[in-house]
Amino acid sequence: MFTRILFFHLVLITVAGQADDREDFFERRIRPLLVENCVSCHGADKQEGELRLDSRQQVLEGTAAAAALVNPKDVNASRLLQVILYADDDIQMPPKQKLADQQIADLRQWITDGAVWPQHNDFGNAKAFDKDAWRNHWAFQPVVDPAMPDVFEDGWHPIDAFVRQPLSDRGIAPSPMADGRTLVRRLSYAITGLPPTSADLHAAADITNSTALAKWLNDYTDRLLALPQFGERWARYWLDIARYADTKGYVFTADREYKDAWRFREWVINSLNTDMPYSEFLQRQIAGDRMSGADDPAQLAAMGFLTLGRRFLNNSHDIIDDRIDVLARGTMGLTVACARCHDHKFDPIPTADYYALYGVFNSSDEPGNDPSPLRLVDRDKPREPVIFLRGNAGSHGERVTRHFLTALSAGEPEPFTDGSGRLELAKKIAGDDNPLTGRVAVNRIWMRLFGKGLVDSPSDFGVRTGPPSHPELLDHLTTRFVRNHWSRKDLIRYITASMTWRQSSQPRPDVADSDPENRLLVRMSRRRLDFEAWRDSVLDVTGDLNNTIGGTSVDITAEPFPNRRTVYARIDRQNLPGMFRTFDFASPDTHAPMRFETTVPQQALFQLNNDFVMQRAEHLAQQFASHNTENTAPVVADLYAQILRRQPTAAESAIAEQFLQAASGLTPVGNNSIGWQYGYGEVNAELNSVLNFQRLPVAHEGRWAGGTTMPNPKLNYCSLSRDGGHPGRDLTQCSIRRWVADQNCTVEVRSRLKHPANEGDGIIGCVIVNGEQKAKAQAAHNTQAINTDSISLQAGDAIDFVTYCGTDQNHDSFEWKITLQQSVNGQQVREWRSDADFSTSRPETRLSPLAQLAQTLMLTNEFLFVD
């Protein structure tokens, strides 16, 4: 029963959030489009063809004379979409000029998402808001530190008092403190997004005194906050808010890349690690060109917050609208962009306020050059804004000043006079007396630590938003936040020291029916790892994680898979990879206040079958391959310690050992497939042993290589093709064409190694089998035969044809045609040829038993959940 109720509530929350997003999309993208392009001929004053496109009923439901113009069940059958596509044999609307591609895409998305159309009395000028209703709304009240609740006792953490007061009123006891091991894992993921070390887990588990454990946890929190990984973890949260991407979106034939986008990410990471006051953090992103460090490219990169949005085919009005939206929702939790066409339907934001901010950004320019291409600068002469009637830039209304929001000003807002006004705007937003900015920031930090904010909608504190679950607690935390120099580290330290945060997450059947969403915080909510924490954890436990801080973006979906933290992933706004969507990544197209969590089959299928996961599992297994295969208990214990950071129980160990013994008989020892393999690796100085064979990851243009471009950043020109290939830089990057025996047999090698270039000092080729060099030759501007006597092999044994460069690394392309005569019991059974057998299709492989066990442990809830 509880599960059904919880599921029902989750569905309602998700649907409500999605409905708000779709309604917001209509107000910002669809309503202005129809007003600007359609209603002059199909509106209240004129109805060409007896059709009104300001009529919700006609567009969505149809009339007696016409069917509905949109059909969410069959988007392509929607008449509205058909006529704007300008087919030669159909009506073409608007008749003067086809809509822009982005506008057509917006209409298609709107129809696909259900064609949400909020009902209003007047399409072009929504009913004016109640000018006094907002004055009593909690979010607009001054922040005042409340008195401690009656239940407060000496020695209590103030957060616990505010949380326990409503519990006490209902006769509900809080949950007990979680065990030390759980809290260490919880802290590590909350602060760094990475699993804790075994040493820290053991240290906390050994402390039996609760007071001593609390002190140890406080010290551990300080250690974690001092790590640079803190900035990497919390930067991703802000990048969601800032709609960060490395590309501009659809820009027709223009350059799609933001080549310096990564510098904004770098600035966010560094500002978090240095604990820059949040007020300064905001001001630099709005007006860094007017603050100290205005000549420092690293500081100016902060303004990527404004400049890294979509380009909307370089439509300046839409670009400014996007900046107003990310500024207002991102900093103050207000949907100011809804006032582009009309006074806000609910909140105290008249159209005049929207165009006051429009004037600020219209008076700012993007130089696009040094010292930072991400910065804005004030124009020599500010542009005085006018209201665009119904959002139509060609229809001007009253002139307005550049000023701050009226509702947050004392009396009439004073006009900005300092250049564009961005610096004045930044100071107003980040002022100590702004009741919204601090509350919004605190609520977001609470949401990241608990999984749910004290306020349900983290980027909408308008009058439609209900009160916080704990209003006094929100104001207490906000007061402390501002008084302590807007320090995010201090607030995180303060919250995680409370018993409320350190509670057990075990279910509470006694309150399941009365508080299924855990709004009373009677326990800690159990949370699943998000996309970044999951991927980083896989890299960490398999020993592959690169801990380098900062740097350019990398494509984490392309082989060879980078081992950088996920925060450094390249975000292509127009072509977001399916992996990101599968794991609920935030859309980079617009400000993302929070991520919706889904549980879909694609997630499990990815973790079961994707090459990234399987390669990491195999890599980890190879680290333990030297264990005695007769006694599998040690390797099972090592895998549990490496992945789950604990020792297996006796039952777990027995099951795992039984699996390893059974699976070992199903896979050729030491190999994943038979026949030809194409890879690279290191050869020892004696040239008789391949130390680390790895398959070349990418097949492209008829060859196996390190990537789709040459030279590859990691493997340089190392590659193999039908006729030959090219070695890498040195003995650590030899090109290796491997042949694996499918049965016990003997093999004779006949081959010719050719160095066709007239330059360079040639290349060396050698044949290596089971730690023994069977043949070797150097070809320099000529052809050399490399043959062997009969070689005895067991099933699964490999012959490695290794090529490496001389002292001169240039002009090392080679041709090496190899023929293998395979015999069984003295009878020839097959001839293998390197050219005729060559394939760029990836062979089917089976993970080794150890790798299968490693992958299984990484699929457990113990790995995938925080607690």
Side-chain angles (χ1 to χ4, degrees):
M1 178 65 181
F2 167 70
T3 302
R4 290 199 300 270
I5 292 174
L6 179 58
F7 176 77
F8 179 68
H9 277 275
L10 289 174
V11 169
L12 286 180
I13 292 169
T14 301
V15 170
Q18 292 172 341
D20 285 346
D21 289 343
R22 293 196 297 265
E23 186 173 319
D24 179 65
F25 183 79
F26 176 84
E27 295 296 347
R28 291 193 301 109
R29 309 296 302 162
I30 304 304
R31 187 189 291 269
L33 186 157
L34 296 176
V35 168
E36 185 171 345
N37 297 280
C38 306
V39 299
S40 60
C41 295
H42 303 284
D45 301 328
K46 184 179 180 182
Q47 298 91 41
E48 291 281 355
E50 299 182 0
L51 174 64
R52 291 187 61 170
L53 290 178
D54 63 342
S55 166
R56 181 178 187 275
Q57 188 271 336
Q58 277 206 25
V59 175
L60 300 184
E61 303 173 25
T63 65
L69 297 180
V70 299
N71 181 2
K73 294 182 179 179
D74 186 358
V75 176
N76 293 326
S78 298
R79 188 60 182 147
L80 179 61
L81 188 62
Q82 290 172 345
V83 299
I84 66 173
L85 290 176
Y86 264 49
D88 291 338
D89 58 350
D90 199 355
I91 298 172
Q92 298 179 345
M93 290 291 170
K96 293 183 179 179
Q97 183 180 4
K98 185 180 179 181
L99 294 178
D101 290 348
Q102 185 60 56
Q103 293 174 309
I104 295 173
D106 286 342
L107 280 168
R108 182 182 292 276
Q109 179 180 336
W110 172 62
I111 298 170
T112 301
D113 291 344
V116 170
W117 184 317
Q119 183 70 274
H120 300 301
N121 294 333
D122 186 340
F123 183 81
N125 185 19
K127 184 178 180 180
F129 59 86
D130 183 341
K131 293 184 178 181
D132 295 320
W134 64 273
R135 298 184 185 278
N136 296 320
H137 185 62
W138 62 269
F140 292 92
Q141 307 309 309
V143 178
V144 178
D145 196 9
M148 283 294 108
D150 294 340
V151 297
F152 181 76
E153 298 179 9
D154 289 341
W156 277 29
H157 195 296
I159 289 177
D160 300 330
F162 285 110
V163 171
R164 291 181 181 182
Q165 182 66 64
L167 295 180
S168 176
D169 294 342
R170 293 168 173 80
I172 302 173
S175 294
M177 184 176 177
D179 62 86
R181 178 184 174 86
T182 298
L183 292 174
V184 167
R185 183 173 168 88
R186 193 183 292 175
L187 275 168
S188 185
Y189 273 114
I191 296 175
T192 70
L194 294 170
T197 65
S198 298
D200 286 326
L201 287 166
H202 292 320
D206 291 342
I207 301 175
T208 56
N209 181 276
S210 59
T211 302
L213 177 60
K215 182 181 183 305
W216 188 94
L217 290 170
N218 291 341
D219 294 339
Y220 181 59
T221 301
D222 289 337
R223 278 198 285 130
L224 292 175
L225 287 170
L227 294 174
Q229 285 74 29
F230 163 74
E232 292 179 315
R233 174 58 166 170
W234 284 74
R236 183 62 256 179
Y237 298 147
W238 187 255
L239 296 181
D240 282 5
I241 291 169
R243 83 277 189 247
Y244 173 86
D246 293 278
T247 63
K248 303 172 184 176
Y250 181 70
V251 288
F252 195 49
T253 59
D255 184 6
R256 296 175 55 244
E257 298 295 319
Y258 280 127
K259 293 182 175 58
D260 285 295
W262 64 275
R263 298 186 186 278
F264 170 65
R265 177 182 61 220
E266 198 105 315
W267 180 86
V268 175
I269 292 173
N270 291 335
S271 67
L272 283 158
N273 282 330
T274 58
D275 202 20
M276 178 185 288
Y278 182 71
S279 54
E280 180 184 348
F281 176 77
L282 294 183
Q283 290 181 51
R284 288 195 175 277
Q285 292 178 84
I286 302 167
D289 60 312
R290 300 293 308 280
M291 300 175 66
S292 62
D295 57 348
D296 181 358
Q299 288 297 340
L300 290 173
M303 303 184 73
F305 175 70
L306 296 171
T307 61
L308 289 178
R310 284 173 60 191
R311 299 307 294 184
F312 304 98
L313 291 173
N314 291 324
N315 183 316
S316 62
H317 307 302
D318 289 344
I319 292 173
I320 291 176
D321 179 74
D322 174 63
R323 290 174 181 172
I324 292 173
D325 181 60
V326 74
L327 175 82
R329 289 205 291 163
T331 64
M332 296 180 291
L334 287 178
T335 55
V336 173
C338 290
R340 180 179 183 179
C341 302
H342 51 75
D343 291 345
H344 200 291
K345 304 187 300 294
F346 307 104
D347 296 336
I349 306 169
T351 309
D353 278 2
Y354 175 91
Y355 286 99
L357 299 185
Y358 180 98
V360 170
F361 290 114
N362 198 30
S363 299
S364 305
D365 191 21
E366 293 179 68
N369 53 24
D370 292 335
S372 171
L374 302 184
R375 78 192 194 285
L376 290 173
V377 297
D378 288 350
R379 298 183 186 274
D380 293 337
K381 184 178 181 180
R383 296 179 176 178
E384 300 303 326
V386 297
I387 294 175
F388 296 163
L389 298 178
R390 296 187 175 184
N392 186 345
S395 180
H396 290 187
E398 295 179 3
R399 186 173 297 278
V400 295
T401 62
R402 288 168 286 111
H403 59 254
F404 191 47
L405 300 180
T406 303
L408 298 177
S409 302
E412 286 296 317
E414 296 181 0
F416 294 147
T417 58
D418 184 3
S420 69
R422 274 184 299 108
L423 181 59
E424 294 164 282
L425 173 63
K427 291 179 177 179
K428 289 288 187 181
I429 290 174
D432 291 359
D433 58 346
N434 188 326
L436 292 172
T437 304
R439 284 185 174 122
V440 168
V442 166
N443 186 63
R444 286 192 181 128
I445 291 173
W446 185 276
M447 178 181 72
R448 299 306 182 186
L449 293 172
F450 282 87
K452 190 176 183 66
L454 296 170
V455 180
D456 287 336
S457 52
S459 289
D460 187 357
F461 276 36
V463 297
R464 288 188 300 168
T465 301
S469 59
H470 298 75
E472 294 83 6
L473 174 58
L474 178 60
D475 276 10
H476 168 72
L477 294 174
T478 303
T479 303
R480 178 187 173 88
F481 181 53
V482 174
R483 286 177 179 172
N484 283 273
H485 310 291
W486 301 76
S487 169
R488 284 165 288 188
K489 284 189 177 183
D490 174 81
L491 185 59
I492 292 169
R493 185 184 295 110
Y494 187 65
I495 293 173
T496 56
S498 69
M499 279 299 298
T500 300
W501 194 81
R502 293 178 177 177
Q503 287 182 108
S504 168
S505 59
Q506 291 298 316
R508 290 287 300 269
D510 56 319
V511 295
D513 290 337
S514 60
D515 185 26
E517 298 175 24
N518 194 32
R519 298 297 285 154
L520 294 175
L521 300 172
V522 71
R523 60 178 175 84
M524 187 64 172
S525 296
R526 187 165 293 175
R527 303 176 64 190
R528 190 176 65 186
L529 298 183
D530 60 19
F531 171 54
E532 289 84 358
W534 167 76
R535 182 181 173 276
D536 293 347
S537 294
V538 170
L539 288 169
D540 183 81
V541 302
T542 57
D544 290 336
L545 184 63
N546 181 344
N547 285 312
T548 302
I549 306 298
T552 57
S553 300
V554 295
D555 184 357
I556 66 171
T557 66
E559 296 188 74
F561 298 111
N563 59 357
R564 301 299 316 278
R565 287 198 71 173
T566 313
V567 70
Y568 299 110
R570 181 178 186 272
I571 307 302
D572 188 335
R573 180 172 270 129
Q574 187 175 352
N575 300 299
L576 191 66
M579 178 177 72
F580 290 82
R581 296 191 296 269
T582 295
F583 288 96
D584 305 316
F585 189 80
S587 170
D589 276 345
T590 185
H591 163 84
M594 60 192 299
R595 294 188 187 180
F596 295 102
E597 292 187 4
T598 62
T599 301
V600 295
Q602 290 88 337
Q603 294 164 354
L605 291 171
F606 183 96
Q607 293 164 334
L608 282 168
N609 302 307
N610 187 265
D611 285 339
F612 165 73
V613 179
M614 293 195 290
Q615 288 177 17
R616 300 284 70 73
E618 194 66 69
H619 179 73
L620 179 58
Q622 290 174 2
Q623 299 175 38
F624 299 111
S626 61
H627 279 284
N628 185 349
T629 57
E630 298 297 325
N631 181 11
T632 55
V635 71
V636 169
D638 284 348
L639 280 177
Y640 266 82
Q642 184 74 12
I643 297 173
L644 301 182
R645 304 293 202 247
R646 66 173 177 84
Q647 290 297 304
T649 65
E652 289 170 335
S653 183
I655 293 172
E657 291 180 58
Q658 182 181 5
F659 164 74
L660 290 177
Q661 293 169 0
S664 296
L666 302 177
T667 307
V669 177
N671 297 283
N672 290 332
S673 63
I674 60 174
W676 298 105
Q677 299 177 14
Y678 311 97
Y680 67 98
E682 181 178 359
V683 177
N684 65 355
E686 293 76 21
L687 306 180
N688 60 14
S689 181
V690 174
L691 303 181
N692 182 22
F693 176 81
Q694 298 185 57
R695 297 192 182 196
L696 288 165
V698 174
H700 182 67
E701 296 182 347
R703 68 186 174 206
W704 287 95
T708 57
T709 59
M710 300 286 273
N712 177 264
K714 179 180 179 182
L715 298 181
N716 202 26
Y717 287 97
C718 186
S719 59
L720 288 168
S721 63
R722 173 189 177 91
D723 297 320
H726 197 294
R729 295 183 180 89
D730 49 37
L731 283 178
T732 66
Q733 292 184 351
C734 302
S735 62
I736 304 174
R737 193 183 304 259
R738 170 172 283 188
W739 182 84
V740 181
D742 58 341
Q743 56 188 311
N744 297 345
C745 61
T746 59
V747 172
E748 291 184 8
V749 176
R750 296 291 180 266
S751 70
R752 297 178 67 81
L753 176 66
K754 180 179 180 180
H755 178 243
N758 295 322
E759 299 86 0
D761 60 356
I763 44 86
I764 298 95
C766 56
V767 181
I768 298 175
V769 181
N770 292 332
E772 180 181 355
Q773 184 189 111
K774 295 294 186 179
K776 173 189 172 185
Q778 179 171 4
H781 329 304
N782 59 14
T783 301
Q784 297 288 334
I786 303 182
N787 303 322
T788 71
D789 296 331
S790 181
I791 303 171
S792 296
L793 301 172
Q794 299 293 314
D797 283 349
I799 304 177
D800 288 324
F801 298 89
V802 179
T803 314
Y804 59 97
C805 59
T807 56
D808 184 349
Q809 300 179 21
N810 299 316
H811 309 289
D812 286 338
S813 292
F814 66 87
E815 298 174 9
W816 195 354
K817 294 188 178 181
I818 304 164
T819 300
L820 305 180
Q821 300 291 347
Q822 182 186 20
S823 299
V824 175
N825 297 325
Q827 299 293 320
Q828 183 173 329
V829 295
R830 181 171 176 181
E831 180 179 87
W832 299 77
R833 295 178 54 192
S834 61
D835 53 356
D837 300 337
F838 182 78
S839 173
T840 53
S841 299
R842 186 178 298 279
E844 293 186 9
T845 62
R846 175 183 293 168
L847 291 180
S848 67
L850 282 180
Q852 292 180 51
L853 178 58
Q855 185 184 23
T856 299
L857 294 179
M858 288 188 289
L859 286 168
T860 61
N861 280 350
E862 185 173 347
F863 183 83
L864 297 173
F865 280 76
V866 176
D867 282 13

